[in-house]
Structure formats: C-alpha cells, structure tokens
Amino acid sequence: MKLALCKVEDIPADKTKTVDFFGREVLLTTVNGKPKAILNICMHLGGPMRREGDKLVCEWHGAEFECGQGKCLKGPADRDSRLITFPTRIENGMLTYVYGE
Ligand code: FES
C-alpha cells in the first residue's frame, strides 16, 4: 500500500504541517533535513502536539518527545513510550507512506 502525503518541498524544517490520514492527523516535519511523518496522538491521553525546537510537545499536559524516532523525553507520558512514526519514502518529490513493500 502506498499513499502520497505531501510534496517534500512543502514540509517545513522547524515546524509541522498537518495532513489527513484516513481521518487521523499526521504531522510532517523534517529532522536533519530528512522528512518525517508522525501520528499526532500523544502517548499519554491522546492530545495533539506542536513542534518546539527539536521536540514535539503535547498541548494538553506537556509531555515531550524527540522528533526523529518519537521517543518520550518527559512525562506524564510513559518514558518508555514512543510516538507512532510512519514508514515513508520519497517518490517523484512526494513524501509517500509505504506499507508492506
Ligand atoms: S495527553 Fe499528552 S501529556 Fe497528557
């Protein structure tokens, strides 16, 4: 399964762009120049997140996650938790979700 998410050139370096993924929000951002796609659901109670520097910070209770692999840096989310990151590759200039190939 493949699904084009966004033109790579439209993904901001130090902010996020939100796209729809079957009714769920996915945050697109770049880390060290590489695009990332991360489900916009905090691992504490499901709150939305915003990018602050190198971190994604939950808008509800302030949990912090690193942008690259989604690892929890600060609670109240479980410190062993990770955000859900999407497998992607770039095809024809589009960041594309790829599963099962
Ligand atoms: S829902 Fe994110 S810290 Fe509580």
Side-chain angles (χ1 to χ4, degrees):
M1 175 188 173
K2 292 195 296 188
L3 179 70
L5 298 172
C6 177
K7 287 183 183 175
V8 172
E9 65 191 33
D10 292 340
I11 302 172
D14 55 355
K15 296 179 183 169
T16 57
K17 177 179 178 69
T18 304
V19 297
D20 178 78
F21 186 84
F22 300 104
R24 306 276 182 168
E25 285 188 358
V26 173
L27 300 176
L28 306 181
T29 192
T30 61
V31 179
N32 298 324
K34 293 185 177 178
K36 297 282 182 181
I38 303 165
L39 192 64
N40 191 16
I41 295 178
C42 173
M43 291 296 105
H44 179 223
L45 294 174
M49 294 170 293
R50 66 179 178 280
R51 185 158 178 180
E52 290 185 10
D54 292 339
K55 298 179 283 193
L56 290 170
V57 179
C58 179
E59 295 183 9
W60 287 358
H61 312 113
E64 296 179 358
F65 303 86
E66 59 99 15
C67 288
Q69 301 299 316
K71 186 175 184 319
C72 182
L73 301 171
K74 178 183 165 208
D78 188 308
R79 290 296 304 272
D80 293 330
S81 65
R82 286 180 188 265
L83 299 175
I84 296 172
T85 56
F86 282 39
T88 59
R89 69 175 171 238
I90 298 171
E91 290 190 352
N92 300 319
M94 299 289 291
L95 184 65
T96 304
Y97 169 80
V98 180
Y99 182 78
E101 293 187 10

PDB file of all heavy atoms in Angstrom, residues 13-30:
ATOM      1  N   ALA A  13      10.932  22.986   7.857  1.00  0.00           N
ATOM      2  CA  ALA A  13      12.094  22.425   8.551  1.00  0.00           C
ATOM      3  C   ALA A  13      11.933  22.460  10.070  1.00  0.00           C
ATOM      4  O   ALA A  13      12.289  21.517  10.756  1.00  0.00           O
ATOM      5  CB  ALA A  13      13.351  23.164   8.144  1.00  0.00           C
ATOM      6  N   ASP A  14      11.402  23.526  10.605  1.00  0.00           N
ATOM      7  CA  ASP A  14      11.373  23.666  12.060  1.00  0.00           C
ATOM      8  C   ASP A  14       9.953  23.798  12.602  1.00  0.00           C
ATOM      9  O   ASP A  14       9.746  24.213  13.735  1.00  0.00           O
ATOM     10  CB  ASP A  14      12.224  24.862  12.493  1.00  0.00           C
ATOM     11  CG  ASP A  14      11.793  26.133  11.792  1.00  0.00           C
ATOM     12  OD1 ASP A  14      10.906  26.060  10.911  1.00  0.00           O
ATOM     13  OD2 ASP A  14      12.334  27.192  12.128  1.00  0.00           O
ATOM     14  N   LYS A  15       8.997  23.468  11.785  1.00  0.00           N
ATOM     15  CA  LYS A  15       7.592  23.485  12.204  1.00  0.00           C
ATOM     16  C   LYS A  15       6.970  22.179  11.742  1.00  0.00           C
ATOM     17  O   LYS A  15       7.674  21.283  11.291  1.00  0.00           O
ATOM     18  CB  LYS A  15       6.854  24.679  11.582  1.00  0.00           C
ATOM     19  CG  LYS A  15       7.386  26.022  12.037  1.00  0.00           C
ATOM     20  CD  LYS A  15       6.634  27.127  11.380  1.00  0.00           C
ATOM     21  CE  LYS A  15       7.231  28.466  11.779  1.00  0.00           C
ATOM     22  NZ  LYS A  15       6.706  29.572  10.976  1.00  0.00           N
ATOM     23  N   THR A  16       5.661  22.095  11.830  1.00  0.00           N
ATOM     24  CA  THR A  16       4.974  20.908  11.328  1.00  0.00           C
ATOM     25  C   THR A  16       3.902  21.318  10.329  1.00  0.00           C
ATOM     26  O   THR A  16       3.368  22.420  10.387  1.00  0.00           O
ATOM     27  CB  THR A  16       4.307  20.115  12.463  1.00  0.00           C
ATOM     28  OG1 THR A  16       3.408  20.975  13.160  1.00  0.00           O
ATOM     29  CG2 THR A  16       5.328  19.520  13.417  1.00  0.00           C
ATOM     30  N   LYS A  17       3.615  20.393   9.442  1.00  0.00           N
ATOM     31  CA  LYS A  17       2.465  20.524   8.531  1.00  0.00           C
ATOM     32  C   LYS A  17       1.557  19.350   8.841  1.00  0.00           C
ATOM     33  O   LYS A  17       2.036  18.220   8.986  1.00  0.00           O
ATOM     34  CB  LYS A  17       2.941  20.482   7.083  1.00  0.00           C
ATOM     35  CG  LYS A  17       1.835  20.536   6.052  1.00  0.00           C
ATOM     36  CD  LYS A  17       2.413  20.511   4.649  1.00  0.00           C
ATOM     37  CE  LYS A  17       1.328  20.521   3.591  1.00  0.00           C
ATOM     38  NZ  LYS A  17       0.612  21.787   3.541  1.00  0.00           N
ATOM     39  N   THR A  18       0.282  19.606   8.958  1.00  0.00           N
ATOM     40  CA  THR A  18      -0.668  18.547   9.289  1.00  0.00           C
ATOM     41  C   THR A  18      -1.376  18.067   8.027  1.00  0.00           C
ATOM     42  O   THR A  18      -1.851  18.881   7.232  1.00  0.00           O
ATOM     43  CB  THR A  18      -1.706  19.064  10.305  1.00  0.00           C
ATOM     44  OG1 THR A  18      -1.023  19.559  11.459  1.00  0.00           O
ATOM     45  CG2 THR A  18      -2.648  17.957  10.726  1.00  0.00           C
ATOM     46  N   VAL A  19      -1.419  16.750   7.857  1.00  0.00           N
ATOM     47  CA  VAL A  19      -2.166  16.172   6.737  1.00  0.00           C
ATOM     48  C   VAL A  19      -3.123  15.113   7.280  1.00  0.00           C
ATOM     49  O   VAL A  19      -2.921  14.579   8.378  1.00  0.00           O
ATOM     50  CB  VAL A  19      -1.228  15.551   5.675  1.00  0.00           C
ATOM     51  CG1 VAL A  19      -0.341  16.609   5.039  1.00  0.00           C
ATOM     52  CG2 VAL A  19      -0.401  14.427   6.256  1.00  0.00           C
ATOM     53  N   ASP A  20      -4.159  14.855   6.501  1.00  0.00           N
ATOM     54  CA  ASP A  20      -5.148  13.832   6.881  1.00  0.00           C
ATOM     55  C   ASP A  20      -4.660  12.448   6.460  1.00  0.00           C
ATOM     56  O   ASP A  20      -4.112  12.275   5.374  1.00  0.00           O
ATOM     57  CB  ASP A  20      -6.485  14.136   6.194  1.00  0.00           C
ATOM     58  CG  ASP A  20      -7.517  13.072   6.513  1.00  0.00           C
ATOM     59  OD1 ASP A  20      -8.076  13.122   7.622  1.00  0.00           O
ATOM     60  OD2 ASP A  20      -7.741  12.186   5.666  1.00  0.00           O
ATOM     61  N   PHE A  21      -4.854  11.479   7.328  1.00  0.00           N
ATOM     62  CA  PHE A  21      -4.510  10.091   7.010  1.00  0.00           C
ATOM     63  C   PHE A  21      -5.677   9.228   7.451  1.00  0.00           C
ATOM     64  O   PHE A  21      -5.785   8.868   8.620  1.00  0.00           O
ATOM     65  CB  PHE A  21      -3.214   9.697   7.738  1.00  0.00           C
ATOM     66  CG  PHE A  21      -2.707   8.327   7.369  1.00  0.00           C
ATOM     67  CD1 PHE A  21      -1.930   8.140   6.243  1.00  0.00           C
ATOM     68  CD2 PHE A  21      -3.012   7.228   8.161  1.00  0.00           C
ATOM     69  CE1 PHE A  21      -1.454   6.881   5.907  1.00  0.00           C
ATOM     70  CE2 PHE A  21      -2.542   5.963   7.835  1.00  0.00           C
ATOM     71  CZ  PHE A  21      -1.768   5.798   6.703  1.00  0.00           C
ATOM     72  N   PHE A  22      -6.613   9.015   6.567  1.00  0.00           N
ATOM     73  CA  PHE A  22      -7.810   8.225   6.858  1.00  0.00           C
ATOM     74  C   PHE A  22      -8.531   8.721   8.113  1.00  0.00           C
ATOM     75  O   PHE A  22      -8.934   7.942   8.974  1.00  0.00           O
ATOM     76  CB  PHE A  22      -7.450   6.746   6.992  1.00  0.00           C
ATOM     77  CG  PHE A  22      -6.835   6.174   5.748  1.00  0.00           C
ATOM     78  CD1 PHE A  22      -5.478   5.943   5.682  1.00  0.00           C
ATOM     79  CD2 PHE A  22      -7.618   5.892   4.644  1.00  0.00           C
ATOM     80  CE1 PHE A  22      -4.900   5.420   4.529  1.00  0.00           C
ATOM     81  CE2 PHE A  22      -7.063   5.378   3.479  1.00  0.00           C
ATOM     82  CZ  PHE A  22      -5.705   5.141   3.423  1.00  0.00           C
ATOM     83  N   GLY A  23      -8.680  10.039   8.205  1.00  0.00           N
ATOM     84  CA  GLY A  23      -9.407  10.631   9.318  1.00  0.00           C
ATOM     85  C   GLY A  23      -8.563  10.927  10.543  1.00  0.00           C
ATOM     86  O   GLY A  23      -9.075  11.456  11.526  1.00  0.00           O
ATOM     87  N   ARG A  24      -7.292  10.593  10.517  1.00  0.00           N
ATOM     88  CA  ARG A  24      -6.370  10.908  11.615  1.00  0.00           C
ATOM     89  C   ARG A  24      -5.394  11.970  11.150  1.00  0.00           C
ATOM     90  O   ARG A  24      -5.074  12.053   9.967  1.00  0.00           O
ATOM     91  CB  ARG A  24      -5.576   9.663  12.038  1.00  0.00           C
ATOM     92  CG  ARG A  24      -6.414   8.472  12.394  1.00  0.00           C
ATOM     93  CD  ARG A  24      -6.873   8.536  13.795  1.00  0.00           C
ATOM     94  NE  ARG A  24      -7.648   7.339  14.111  1.00  0.00           N
ATOM     95  CZ  ARG A  24      -7.987   7.012  15.328  1.00  0.00           C
ATOM     96  NH1 ARG A  24      -7.655   7.769  16.344  1.00  0.00           N
ATOM     97  NH2 ARG A  24      -8.694   5.922  15.548  1.00  0.00           N
ATOM     98  N   GLU A  25      -4.887  12.763  12.099  1.00  0.00           N
ATOM     99  CA  GLU A  25      -3.901  13.780  11.754  1.00  0.00           C
ATOM    100  C   GLU A  25      -2.494  13.205  11.814  1.00  0.00           C
ATOM    101  O   GLU A  25      -2.127  12.538  12.787  1.00  0.00           O
ATOM    102  CB  GLU A  25      -3.974  14.961  12.731  1.00  0.00           C
ATOM    103  CG  GLU A  25      -5.154  15.858  12.500  1.00  0.00           C
ATOM    104  CD  GLU A  25      -5.086  17.115  13.348  1.00  0.00           C
ATOM    105  OE1 GLU A  25      -4.147  17.282  14.154  1.00  0.00           O
ATOM    106  OE2 GLU A  25      -5.984  17.951  13.181  1.00  0.00           O
ATOM    107  N   VAL A  26      -1.730  13.509  10.784  1.00  0.00           N
ATOM    108  CA  VAL A  26      -0.315  13.147  10.754  1.00  0.00           C
ATOM    109  C   VAL A  26       0.491  14.437  10.650  1.00  0.00           C
ATOM    110  O   VAL A  26       0.163  15.321   9.845  1.00  0.00           O
ATOM    111  CB  VAL A  26      -0.003  12.217   9.566  1.00  0.00           C
ATOM    112  CG1 VAL A  26       1.504  11.988   9.429  1.00  0.00           C
ATOM    113  CG2 VAL A  26      -0.716  10.889   9.752  1.00  0.00           C
ATOM    114  N   LEU A  27       1.520  14.543  11.505  1.00  0.00           N
ATOM    115  CA  LEU A  27       2.411  15.693  11.465  1.00  0.00           C
ATOM    116  C   LEU A  27       3.584  15.371  10.553  1.00  0.00           C
ATOM    117  O   LEU A  27       4.226  14.330  10.704  1.00  0.00           O
ATOM    118  CB  LEU A  27       2.937  16.002  12.879  1.00  0.00           C
ATOM    119  CG  LEU A  27       1.894  16.336  13.933  1.00  0.00           C
ATOM    120  CD1 LEU A  27       2.580  16.517  15.288  1.00  0.00           C
ATOM    121  CD2 LEU A  27       1.123  17.595  13.548  1.00  0.00           C
ATOM    122  N   LEU A  28       3.850  16.277   9.632  1.00  0.00           N
ATOM    123  CA  LEU A  28       5.022  16.158   8.774  1.00  0.00           C
ATOM    124  C   LEU A  28       6.018  17.216   9.207  1.00  0.00           C
ATOM    125  O   LEU A  28       5.659  18.362   9.435  1.00  0.00           O
ATOM    126  CB  LEU A  28       4.637  16.368   7.310  1.00  0.00           C
ATOM    127  CG  LEU A  28       3.514  15.486   6.771  1.00  0.00           C
ATOM    128  CD1 LEU A  28       3.273  15.805   5.306  1.00  0.00           C
ATOM    129  CD2 LEU A  28       3.809  14.013   6.969  1.00  0.00           C
ATOM    130  N   THR A  29       7.260  16.809   9.308  1.00  0.00           N
ATOM    131  CA  THR A  29       8.314  17.745   9.696  1.00  0.00           C
ATOM    132  C   THR A  29       9.622  17.205   9.146  1.00  0.00           C
ATOM    133  O   THR A  29       9.643  16.150   8.502  1.00  0.00           O
ATOM    134  CB  THR A  29       8.353  17.915  11.234  1.00  0.00           C
ATOM    135  OG1 THR A  29       9.187  19.029  11.566  1.00  0.00           O
ATOM    136  CG2 THR A  29       8.821  16.656  11.939  1.00  0.00           C
ATOM    137  N   THR A  30      10.695  17.940   9.341  1.00  0.00           N
ATOM    138  CA  THR A  30      11.995  17.427   8.917  1.00  0.00           C
ATOM    139  C   THR A  30      12.925  17.393  10.123  1.00  0.00           C
ATOM    140  O   THR A  30      12.853  18.233  11.015  1.00  0.00           O
ATOM    141  CB  THR A  30      12.628  18.278   7.801  1.00  0.00           C
ATOM    142  OG1 THR A  30      12.830  19.594   8.302  1.00  0.00           O
ATOM    143  CG2 THR A  30      11.760  18.303   6.567  1.00  0.00           C
TER     144      THR A  30
END
